[in-house]
Amino acid sequence: MFIAFVGNAFAEVPAGDYLSGRPILRIEYQQSNIFDTSDPSTSSWPYRLANALHVTSREAFIRSMILFSEGEPWDPVIAAESARILRSLDFLNPVFIEARPESEGVVVSIRTHDQWTLQLGAKFGIQGSRKNYSVKFEEENFLGWGRGITLEYRKDHERSTWTYIYSDPNLFGSRWRGRVLFADASDGHREEVLAERPFFSLATPKAWGGEWKNWRQIEYLYGDGNQVAGGHRDFRLLRLWWGTRLPAPEKTVRRLSAGFHLDDRKFSDWYRESSPAPFPTPDNVKISGPRLDFEQSEDRYEVLSGFRGWSAQEDIAFGNTLRAGVTFSHPEFGGDIPRLVFEGSWAYRVQKNGWLLMGDIWTSGRLDDGSAANVITGFQAAASQLGPRGWQLRLLVEDSIDLDRENQLTLGADRGLRGWDPDIFDGTGRAVFNLQWRTLLKEEFLNLFSIGIVLFADAGKTWGARVGPGTDGIRVDAGVGLLADMTHIGVSNVLRLDVALPDDGGGVTIIVTSSALF
């Protein structure tokens, strides 16, 4: 059974591997099922039944995802990236790729551990007074080929929805990826199609693809945690792109993409929930024109444990990551008015003395006939002690200029202010600070999950409220929670149960969710 806590990052292979350059004589694959039934603690019938119901990832599928083959020279950097690609599938963790000398070459060993990928049953979530449930059949690794199939019924405070999804990370054994989604909701529908040959590795020279989305649903605005206004939104998106890798210094990756971007949003029949009077309908927006995207990152990935969960391997990109994009929309290209649509982000990750330090800055918006519109700019600074216990803290601030009428920057349990219902505080700007201390209580409980306790305090503020009350100053809360790392049910699956007390004495707020705060 694998579990490890580290205060420092570790790599799958040594940086100065003396075997580099030797030819790969053969590749040996070792795929482990969910549980090791040779271990007495996981040899009873429930664990054997789980293994029997699960199809282990096929050797041919793993071979199709890695970046090297027999006869090529051994490169530990490419091996480490191949391990990251396998872990990014979210159902293989941990993954180890190692080489040993043999004759004049090397033999490569690839060891993968499958996670449970079949979800058949019901889910229930709580965030304050807001509840949701779903009944789902989902298989993320259908027949061991990495293909995803989802059939789900979900009901929440806004709508009930039947959703059907099919995805394939390597169509017909190629580097092409595809995804098809159809959703039939009580207030509309969604259709999505994606086909792309992406930058599947840092060294990939070219990429291209296309995406289509067509949505119709009712959008809502919130005040005091309740729906105060809403109306129909029709949304169409078309993206076509072609990208290339640019020359860059060693350990730096630069990419430039060009394409066409259509984003058409139409609004109608907006109303107030508590009044027969109509609500001002948001303005229609049609963006259509050429688009450019630039990305720069550093090839400084490390593998960590003890960050979001307790034991799963997580790939962290250290150093700087920069992304920027711009769309030139004009009536001659099919747009409504001349617009310049922009977005950009910068992220920085570094590890010091057992701490993971993170910084993020982002912005997005438009220039409509030269005037700023729907501009949202924010930053986040966070720090986390790695390992089985320690502190985590985060400060997030966002502000806006001329925010579109259908948008809000709300604050509540869904945004980190855990003592209050989701969307309870309205705003066109917000800030939230989170501080928590956590410790592992039991690792591999029943060989299913590791569980720990979290003590936390939050503080937050909104400003520029338009449709509901703001925070009227800084609001605070404090509470206690449980964090379970579902070590055999996918790397991204954590379970949080938080109980928080707000500063107004209004009673506890309970949160049950499978998403991590940090």
Side-chain angles (χ1 to χ4, degrees):
M1 193 66 61
F2 171 83
I3 185 165
F5 295 106
V6 294
N8 295 299
F10 64 90
E12 296 97 327
V13 289
D17 194 326
Y18 71 99
L19 300 175
S20 294
R22 292 194 184 187
I24 299 174
L25 302 179
R26 67 179 182 276
I27 301 174
E28 298 176 346
Y29 297 85
Q30 180 183 339
Q31 302 103 273
S32 298
N33 212 329
I34 304 166
F35 299 105
D36 180 7
T37 54
S38 65
D39 184 340
S41 64
T42 52
S43 61
S44 58
W45 71 266
Y47 303 104
R48 295 197 306 270
L49 177 61
N51 279 1
L53 293 174
H54 176 75
V55 179
T56 306
S57 298
R58 299 180 184 271
E59 178 181 315
F61 169 68
I62 296 173
R63 186 186 305 118
S64 71
M65 298 299 294
I66 61 176
L67 303 175
F68 57 88
S69 59
E70 294 174 352
E72 296 180 352
W74 164 252
D75 187 332
V77 174
I78 292 178
E81 186 174 5
S82 297
R84 290 199 300 271
I85 291 173
L86 293 174
R87 279 192 295 271
S88 70
L89 297 169
D90 284 351
F91 54 77
L92 294 175
N93 196 294
V95 175
F96 297 100
I97 301 180
E98 301 162 326
R100 66 178 187 272
E102 182 174 297
S103 185
E104 297 300 318
V106 298
V107 175
V108 177
S109 171
I110 300 179
R111 293 181 290 132
T112 59
H113 189 111
D114 271 40
Q115 308 287 308
W116 179 259
T117 55
L118 175 62
Q119 297 187 37
L120 180 60
K123 283 186 176 181
F124 181 70
I126 302 175
Q127 288 185 325
S129 62
R130 188 174 294 178
K131 302 176 180 64
N132 65 78
Y133 71 87
S134 65
V135 180
K136 176 189 290 189
F137 170 86
E138 180 179 23
E139 174 55 70
E140 297 178 90
N141 188 15
F142 185 63
L143 298 180
W145 289 105
R147 297 163 186 148
I149 297 176
T150 300
L151 169 62
E152 179 184 29
Y153 174 78
R154 176 182 174 87
K155 184 174 179 60
D156 57 28
H157 64 287
E158 290 188 337
R159 61 186 59 87
S160 58
T161 309
W162 281 97
T163 303
Y164 313 86
I165 304 174
Y166 174 79
S167 62
D168 193 332
N170 54 356
L171 288 166
F172 309 111
S174 70
R175 294 296 184 183
W176 280 85
R177 298 176 185 173
R179 183 176 183 269
V180 178
L181 177 149
F182 174 75
D184 184 16
S186 57
D187 61 349
H189 58 83
R190 290 172 56 194
E191 298 96 30
E192 300 180 8
V193 178
L194 169 69
E196 64 173 345
R197 192 180 192 277
F199 290 106
F200 55 85
S201 76
L202 296 178
T204 301
K206 307 291 182 185
W208 51 88
E211 181 180 25
W212 166 258
K213 293 183 180 181
N214 183 33
W215 297 4
R216 179 175 174 81
Q217 62 187 33
I218 296 178
E219 294 285 329
Y220 296 96
L221 297 175
Y222 289 88
D224 206 19
N226 300 310
Q227 296 170 356
V228 297
H232 286 284
R233 183 183 79 154
D234 292 275
F235 169 63
R236 291 187 303 141
L237 173 74
L238 173 64
R239 294 194 307 128
L240 302 171
W241 67 89
W242 176 89
T244 184
R245 177 172 174 168
L246 302 175
E250 187 179 4
K251 293 293 184 179
T252 299
V253 179
R254 290 175 181 160
R255 295 165 175 163
L256 180 67
S257 298
F260 177 80
H261 182 201
L262 168 68
D263 184 338
D264 188 7
R265 307 178 190 188
K266 296 179 180 178
F267 302 89
S268 61
D269 303 325
W270 277 61
Y271 58 91
R272 299 181 188 273
E273 289 282 348
S274 58
S275 169
F279 186 85
T281 300
D283 295 329
N284 295 336
V285 174
K286 187 175 184 181
I287 298 163
S288 183
R291 179 175 176 85
L292 290 175
D293 287 279
F294 174 79
E295 176 184 351
Q296 178 173 302
S297 60
E298 299 181 41
D299 185 7
R300 292 177 53 197
Y301 285 85
E302 300 287 354
V303 185
L304 302 181
S305 292
F307 170 36
R308 292 185 180 89
W310 302 111
S311 60
Q313 291 180 336
E314 298 183 65
D315 294 288
I316 305 296
F318 284 89
N320 295 279
T321 301
L322 174 68
R323 294 183 174 90
V326 61
T327 299
F328 304 91
S329 180
H330 195 275
E332 292 186 1
F333 300 125
D336 49 5
I337 63 173
R339 303 179 192 265
L340 181 69
V341 184
F342 61 89
E343 59 189 59
S345 65
W346 170 82
Y348 182 72
R349 304 288 185 268
V350 66
Q351 187 188 13
K352 289 188 177 181
N353 301 321
W355 285 81
L356 176 61
L357 307 178
M358 299 163 283
D360 297 271
I361 299 174
W362 59 90
T363 187
S364 64
R366 306 188 307 269
L367 293 177
D368 294 350
D369 271 333
S371 300
N374 201 45
V375 177
I376 301 175
T377 302
F379 76 87
Q380 175 177 270
S384 175
Q385 280 184 294
L386 302 173
R389 66 181 53 84
W391 292 93
Q392 293 181 319
L393 59 154
R394 180 188 73 150
L395 173 65
L396 181 148
V397 179
E398 280 188 307
D399 203 359
S400 65
I401 300 174
D402 195 19
L403 196 64
D404 284 348
R405 192 172 290 128
E406 72 275 13
N407 294 330
Q408 296 175 277
L409 296 180
T410 60
L411 198 55
D414 55 333
R415 300 293 179 179
L417 197 61
R418 286 168 278 190
W420 307 84
D421 280 353
D423 298 320
I424 194 165
F425 299 118
D426 180 34
T428 55
R430 62 189 171 197
V432 62
F433 176 74
N434 307 108
L435 175 67
Q436 62 184 38
W437 181 84
R438 63 182 199 163
T439 184
L440 177 68
L441 297 178
K442 175 67 175 177
E443 65 182 42
E444 291 294 317
F445 181 69
L446 297 177
N447 292 285
L448 292 175
F449 56 86
S450 301
I451 190 167
I453 191 170
V454 181
L455 305 176
F456 61 85
D458 310 312
K461 173 182 173 62
T462 65
W463 54 90
R466 298 187 297 185
V467 298
T471 56
D472 190 23
I474 297 176
R475 311 313 298 258
V476 299
D477 64 63
V480 61
L482 294 175
L483 176 66
D485 184 347
M486 315 299 282
T487 51
H488 294 283
I489 314 179
V491 63
S492 61
N493 282 355
V494 297
L495 181 64
R496 283 173 46 214
L497 169 61
D498 294 332
V499 179
L501 285 169
D503 62 7
D504 68 348
V508 300
T509 299
I510 299 174
I511 303 169
V512 181
T513 180
S514 58
S515 62
L517 180 62
F518 284 79

